[in-house]
C-alpha cells in the first residue's frame, strides 16, 4: 500500500496512566510570572572589563571612606576660613614662622627639580652647611614644592597645605576610631576633636606641629592590616598585609615632616611593636598551641619590609641632624630651655587667644602662664573632656580598655607638663635622659597631641553607646527609626566639639619682595637682620633661591650671630672684611624696614675707602663688594 491509503478503523481504547510511585514528591506549583519583569533590562551575564571598572569606581566614590574624605575637605575649608580667600597674598597667624615654612616647602621642591644632593645645604644661612636641618623640614610636603616659584606660589602652596592638613587630621582620626569599633557619629566626634581642638589654634604658625593626620591614619592602617579593633579584639581572619605595609609607609611619611612630632610617634610605634611581640610569645606558648597562628609569613614579611622603610627614613633623616649637632653643639636643647616651655596644669584648661568661644574669657589665665603662653595654652576642649569622662561610665569599650585609655590620658598630661611635674623626674626629663634624640625636643606641651587622641577615642566610645541605645529605644516605634529630636541629640556633640574649634586667627598680608632684591647678585645679605625679618627674606628668596646670609631656625648659628653684630656698624672696615671673607657679594639695606634699628646708619654712610660700589634705589641702598 502506498502512503495515501487509509488504515482500517479500530475501536478507540482507553489507556490507563501508570500509578505514581508511593513516595514520589508532589509536583511543584507553577510560579506566577512577575508582570513587570519583562520591562526590566536583561541581566548582563558576562560584564566587560570596562563595566567592571565603572561599577568599582562608582562604589568607591560613594564608599564611607570617600564620603568621609569629601566631608573632611569641606569642613577644613570652612573651619580655616578665610585661608583660601586670598591665598596668594595672606598667610595664617603671622608673617613669622609661616613664612619660614613656606620657604621650606619651596626649597625642598626646588632641589627635587634641580639637584637633590644639595637638599641639606639650603640657600639660607650662607655659608653654613646642613642648614636645611636647622629645624623641622616638612620634607614630606616636597612634592607640593614642584609647582611654581616665587613668593605668590609659596603662599598659595602653604595655604593649600594648611587646609589639607586639617582635612587629613579629621579623616585620619575618623578612620582610626572606626577601625577600633566606633560608630560613624562617634568617629565624627573623634575626627572633629583631633583636627579642631582649641590648643591647635595657638600652633597655627607651626605647620610641623599641626601636621598630625598621618599619625592617626598610619595607626588605622596598621590596625586594619593586623585585623585588630578595640571593640572586637584580634581577628586573624581579617588581617590584610597590604594595609599593614601601607600603614608603615604613611608612618615614614609622617616622620619626614619633622622629628618634633615624629620622634614621639616613632617611640609609640616601637612600644606597640614591643607589646605585641611579648603578647605573641606569651600566647603562643600557653594559649595558641593548637590554634591558627595570628601572624602568617606574608603579614610578617610585609611588616618587616614596612618597618625597614620606616626605620630607614628616620635613620637617614637623623644623620643630617646629628651632623648639625656635631657642627653646632650649642643647638642641643638644655634642660633649662625645656623648663621655659613646660606648661602648668592650668594650661590644659586654658584656650589660646585665637579661640572664638574662649579666647577673650581666658585672657587672665594666659597671662598667668607667662611668656610661653602660646605653647602653654593646651585646652583640648571642655566638650571633649565631658564626653571622655562620660565614656568612663557608658561606652562600647570594655571597662578595662576605658581605664587603660584614661591612664594614657593622665600619663601624657604628666609628660606634657615637662619640668612642671615634680621637676620632670620621673616624667618627661626621664625620657630626656635615656631616649636618643629626645633632648632635641624643647616643647613638652606638644605631647598634648596624644592626650587629645586618647580623649577622642574615649569620647567616641560614649557617643557610639548612646547612638546604639537610641536605636534600641526606637525599635518599638512606628516607623522603626529614631525620633528627629533623638537624631539631633546624637549629632549635637559633633557640632559642640566643632564650635569649640572656631577661630579668630589673623591672616596678615605678606610684604612683597623688594624690587632691588629680585636682581641683586648673591651671595646676599639683607639688612636689617633679625629672626622675624630673616623669615621674610627667606620666603622672598624663593624666586631664584639666591644664596642669602639671612636665616632663622630653632637656634642661631654662631656665624650669623657674628654677622648680625658686626653689621650694626656696616659699612666699616671690620664688617666689610668679614663679609668678603665669607664670599658675600651684595649687601641690601632696605629703606623702610631698617628704620629704628641699629642698621639704620647704613642708609647714609658712604663707605668710602672700602672698595664698595654704592647704588641707591627706590626701596633700598645696594652695596656691591668688589
Amino acid at each position: 500500500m502506498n502512503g495515501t491509503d487509509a488504515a482500517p478503523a479500530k475501536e478507540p481504547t482507553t489507556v490507563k496512566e501508570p500509578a505514581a510511585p508511593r513516595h514520589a514528591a508532589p509536583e511543584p506549583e507553577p510560579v506566577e510570572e512577575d508582570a513587570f519583569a519583562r520591562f526590566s533590562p536583561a541581566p548582563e551575564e558576562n560584564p566587560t572589563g570596562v563595566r567592571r571598572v565603572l561599577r568599582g569606581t562608582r562604589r568607591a566614590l560613594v564608599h564611607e571612606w570617600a564620603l568621609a574624605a569629601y566631608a573632611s575637605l569641606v569642613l577644613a575649608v570652612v573651619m580655616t576660613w578665610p585661608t583660601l580667600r586670598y591665598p596668594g597674598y595672606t598667610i595664617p597667624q603671622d608673617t613669622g614662622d609661616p613664612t619660614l615654612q613656606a620657604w621650606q616647602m619651596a626649597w625642598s621642591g626646588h632641589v627635587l627639580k634641580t639637584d637633590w644632593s644639595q637638599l641639606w645645604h639650603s640657600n639660607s644661612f650662607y655659608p653654613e652647611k646642613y642648614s636645611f636641618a636647622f629645624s623641622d623640614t616638612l620634607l614630606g610636603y616636597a612634592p607640593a614644592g614642584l609647582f611654581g616659584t616665587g613668593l605668590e606660589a609659596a603662599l598659595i602652596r602653604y595655604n593649600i597645605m594648611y587646609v589639607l592638613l586639617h582635612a587629613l587630621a579629621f579623616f585620619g582620626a575618623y578612620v582610626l576610631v572606626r577601625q577600633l569599633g566606633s560608630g560613624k557619629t562617634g568617629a565624627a566626634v573623634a575626627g572633629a576633636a583631633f583636627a579642631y581642638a582649641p590648643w591647635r589654634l595657638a600652633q597655627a604658625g607651626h605647620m610641623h606641629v599641626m601636621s598630625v593626620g598621618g599619625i592617626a591614619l598610619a595607626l588605622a592602617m596598621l590596625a586594619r592590616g593586623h585585623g585588630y579593633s578595640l571593640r572586637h579584639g584580634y581577628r586573624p581572619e581579617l588581617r590584610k598585609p597590604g594595609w599593614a605595609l601601607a600603614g608603615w609607609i604613611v608612618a615614614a611619611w609622617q616622620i619626614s615632616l619633622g622629628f618634633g612630632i615624629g620622634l614621639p610617634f616613632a617611640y609609640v610605634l616601637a612600644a606597640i611593636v614591643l607589646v605585641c611581640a611579648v603578647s605573641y610569645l606569651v600566647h603562643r606558648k600557653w594559649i595558641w598551641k593548637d590554634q591558627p597562628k595570628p601572624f602568617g609569613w606574608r603579614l610578617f614579611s610585609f611588616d618587616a619590609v614596612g618597618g625597614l622603610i620606616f626605620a630607614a627614613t628616620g635613620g637617614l633623616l637623623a644623620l643630617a641632624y646629628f651632623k648639625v649637632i656635631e657642627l653646632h653643639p650649642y643647638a642641643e636643647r638644655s634642660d633649662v630651655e625645656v623648663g621655659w616651655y613646660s606648661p602648668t596644669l592650668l594650661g590644659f584648661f586654658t584656650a589660646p587667644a585665637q579661640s572664638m568661644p574662649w579666647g577673650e574669657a581666658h585672657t587672665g589665665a594666659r597671662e598667668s602662664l607667662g611668656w610661653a603662653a602660646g605653647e602653654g595654652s593646651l585646652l583640648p576642649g571642655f566638650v571633649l573632656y565631658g564626653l571622655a569622662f562620660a565614656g568612663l561610665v557608658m561606652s562600647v569599650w570594655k571597662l578595662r580598655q576605658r581605664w587603660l585609655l584614661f591612664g594614657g590620658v593622665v600619663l601624657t598630661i604628666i609628660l606634657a607638663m615637662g619640668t612642671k611635674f615634680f621637676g620632670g623626674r620621673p616624667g618627661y626629663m626621664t625620657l630626656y635622659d635615656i631616649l636618643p634624640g629626645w633632648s632635641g625636643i624643647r616643647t613638652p606641651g606638644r605631647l598634648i597631641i596624644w592626650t587629645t587622641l586618647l580623649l577622642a577615642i574615649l569620647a567616641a566610645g560614649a557617643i557610639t553607646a548612646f547612638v546604639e541605645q537610641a536605636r534600641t529605644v526606637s525599635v518599638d516605634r512606628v516607623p522603626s527609626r529614631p525620633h528627629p529630636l533623638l537624631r539631633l541629640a546624637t549629632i549635637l556633640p559633633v557640632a559642640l566639639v566643632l564650635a569649640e574649634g572656631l577661630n579668630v586667627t589673623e591672616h596678615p598680608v605678606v610684604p612683597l619682595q623688594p624690587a632691588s632684591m629680585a636682581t641683586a647678585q648673591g651671595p646676599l645679605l639683607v639688612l636689617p637682620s633679625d629672626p622675624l625679618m630673616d623669615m621674610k627674606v627667606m620666603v622672598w628668596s624663593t624666586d631664584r633661591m639666591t644664596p642669602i646670609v639671612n636665616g632663622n631656625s630653632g637656634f642661631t648659628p654662631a656665624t650669623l650671630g657674628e654677622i648680625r653684630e658686626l653689621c650694626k656698624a656696616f659699612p666699616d672696615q671690620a664688617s666689610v672684611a668679614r663679609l668678603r671673607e665669607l664670599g658675600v657679594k651684595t649687601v641690601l639695606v632696605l629703606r623702610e624696614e631698617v628704620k629704628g634699628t641699629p642698621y639704620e646708619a647704613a642708609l647714609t654712610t658712604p663707605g668710602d675707602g672700602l672698595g664698595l660700589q654704592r647704588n641707591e634705589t627706590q626701596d633700598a641702598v645696594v652695596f656691591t663688594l668688589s
Side-chain angles (χ1 to χ4, degrees):
M1 299 178 63
N2 57 37
T4 59
D5 295 332
K10 294 185 179 180
E11 292 285 336
T13 57
T14 303
V15 181
K16 294 185 178 180
E17 297 181 1
R22 182 175 299 177
H23 301 290
E27 294 184 3
E29 296 181 3
V31 179
E32 184 179 351
E33 181 184 2
D34 184 358
F36 297 95
R38 67 187 64 182
F39 298 103
S40 62
E44 185 177 2
E45 296 181 359
N46 296 310
T48 63
V50 174
R51 284 186 176 274
R52 285 197 294 269
V53 171
L54 291 176
R55 288 178 182 178
T57 303
R58 185 168 59 250
R59 285 194 295 268
L61 291 175
V62 296
H63 191 276
E64 180 187 345
W65 304 139
L67 296 177
Y70 307 151
S72 300
L73 289 169
V74 172
L75 190 60
V77 172
V78 173
M79 293 295 290
T80 60
W81 191 259
T83 298
L84 293 183
R85 187 176 183 180
Y86 303 112
Y89 305 97
T90 64
I91 204 163
Q93 192 80 318
D94 54 50
T95 56
D97 285 346
T99 56
L100 162 65
Q101 291 161 347
W103 165 82
Q104 287 175 324
M105 283 187 280
W107 171 255
S108 58
H110 170 75
V111 297
L112 287 180
K113 291 185 290 187
T114 54
D115 184 3
W116 62 267
S117 66
Q118 296 301 308
L119 170 66
W120 298 113
H121 313 304
S122 75
N123 71 310
S124 63
F125 295 101
Y126 177 86
E128 298 287 353
K129 298 297 184 181
Y130 295 94
S131 55
F132 195 50
F134 285 178
S135 57
D136 282 337
T137 62
L138 296 175
L139 188 57
Y141 293 147
L146 293 171
F147 304 97
T149 58
L151 176 62
E152 185 175 0
L155 294 180
I156 292 174
R157 183 185 307 118
Y158 181 93
N159 285 316
I160 290 175
M161 297 309 298
Y162 180 80
V163 173
L164 290 179
L165 69 85
H166 285 84
L168 182 59
F170 181 95
F171 181 78
Y174 180 93
V175 297
L176 171 61
V177 177
R178 281 290 279 153
Q179 173 62 31
L180 294 180
S182 167
K184 295 176 184 178
T185 307
V189 167
F194 193 59
Y196 303 105
W199 67 264
R200 287 170 58 87
L201 299 176
Q203 302 295 333
H206 299 146
M207 183 173 280
H208 60 294
V209 179
M210 303 281 282
S211 301
V212 296
I215 293 176
L217 184 59
L219 292 175
M221 289 179 166
L222 288 169
R224 185 172 181 81
H226 291 82
Y228 176 79
S229 74
L230 195 62
R231 189 172 186 179
H232 305 291
Y234 184 72
R235 293 177 288 180
E237 68 277 6
L238 296 181
R239 61 193 178 199
K240 299 178 183 295
W243 280 103
L245 178 60
W248 285 111
I249 293 173
V250 172
W253 173 79
Q254 174 67 51
I255 203 172
S256 74
L257 296 175
F259 280 113
I261 302 302
L263 189 63
F265 177 46
Y267 280 118
V268 168
L269 283 180
I272 292 174
V273 170
L274 179 62
V275 170
C276 290
V278 171
S279 176
Y280 170 73
L281 293 174
V282 170
H283 284 74
R284 182 181 182 184
K285 182 176 181 180
W286 285 302
I287 299 177
W288 286 335
K289 293 180 179 179
D290 301 322
Q291 297 182 15
K293 300 296 186 294
F295 268 84
W297 280 109
R298 189 163 180 264
L299 177 57
F300 182 80
S301 62
F302 275 50
D303 273 332
V305 171
L308 285 174
I309 292 173
F310 177 77
T313 302
L316 290 173
L317 292 173
L319 291 177
Y321 288 92
F322 285 137
K323 190 66 177 178
V324 170
I325 294 298
E326 178 185 335
L327 296 173
H328 309 278
Y330 48 87
E332 190 168 6
R333 314 299 186 187
S334 67
D335 52 357
V336 174
E337 189 174 3
V338 173
W340 293 343
Y341 288 95
S342 295
T344 63
L345 186 60
L346 176 63
F348 296 88
F349 299 92
T350 303
Q354 297 82 3
S355 170
M356 181 182 293
W358 306 118
E360 186 175 350
H362 290 187
T363 301
R366 283 193 305 276
E367 291 175 353
S368 69
L369 296 177
W371 70 274
E375 295 287 351
S377 302
L378 300 174
L379 175 68
F382 292 115
V383 175
L384 181 61
Y385 276 141
L387 293 174
F389 279 102
L392 293 175
V393 180
M394 180 184 71
S395 178
V396 294
W397 316 132
K398 296 176 183 177
L399 183 61
R400 176 174 60 87
Q401 295 169 338
R402 298 179 224 168
W403 285 105
L404 283 174
L405 290 169
F406 180 71
V409 170
V410 174
L411 176 62
T412 53
I413 288 177
I414 289 173
L415 292 176
M417 290 177 67
T419 60
K420 295 300 191 295
F421 184 81
F422 298 102
R425 293 183 175 91
Y428 184 88
M429 299 308 294
T430 305
L431 303 181
Y432 181 93
D433 295 335
I434 64 176
L435 293 182
W438 201 271
S439 58
I441 306 174
R442 70 176 181 179
T443 46
R446 292 174 182 175
L447 292 176
I448 190 65
I449 291 167
W450 297 97
T451 308
T452 307
L453 185 58
L454 294 170
L455 287 170
I457 295 172
L458 271 172
I463 295 300
T464 302
F466 176 68
V467 171
E468 291 181 357
Q469 185 65 30
R471 289 174 182 165
T472 303
V473 170
S474 304
V475 168
D476 296 331
R477 292 186 73 248
V478 179
S480 179
R481 56 175 177 264
H483 190 277
L485 291 178
L486 197 55
R487 284 182 179 274
L488 180 62
T490 59
I491 299 174
L492 185 61
V494 181
L496 291 176
V497 170
L498 289 173
E500 281 201 288
L502 294 174
N503 69 89
V504 289
T505 302
E506 295 184 359
H507 289 71
V509 175
V510 178
L512 296 176
Q513 180 195 43
S516 54
M517 184 177 172
T519 57
Q521 184 181 11
L524 170 70
L525 169 65
V526 178
L527 296 178
S529 177
D530 58 61
L532 290 177
M533 182 64 200
D534 280 7
M535 288 186 279
K536 297 187 188 72
V537 176
M538 293 168 82
V539 77
W540 287 341
S541 74
T542 56
D543 61 338
R544 297 179 295 149
M545 290 298 176
T546 304
I548 55 174
V549 178
N550 306 73
N552 187 45
S553 69
F555 73 98
T556 301
T559 301
L560 179 57
E562 175 196 5
I563 293 301
R564 284 174 177 170
E565 191 62 32
L566 277 175
C567 286
K568 289 178 180 178
F570 180 85
D572 68 341
Q573 184 66 44
S575 61
V576 171
R578 182 60 173 141
L579 291 173
R580 282 183 173 142
E581 180 184 353
L582 294 177
V584 177
K585 295 185 177 180
T586 308
V587 177
L588 200 68
V589 185
L590 302 179
R591 293 186 183 278
E592 293 301 321
E593 287 78 2
V594 82
K595 291 179 180 178
T597 73
Y599 307 98
E600 186 175 4
L603 289 176
T604 55
T605 304
D608 295 338
L610 298 175
L612 302 176
Q613 181 180 346
R614 187 176 187 276
N615 274 326
E616 295 204 15
T617 66
Q618 185 175 0
D619 55 20
V621 176
V622 182
F623 292 89
T624 303
L625 283 64
S626 60

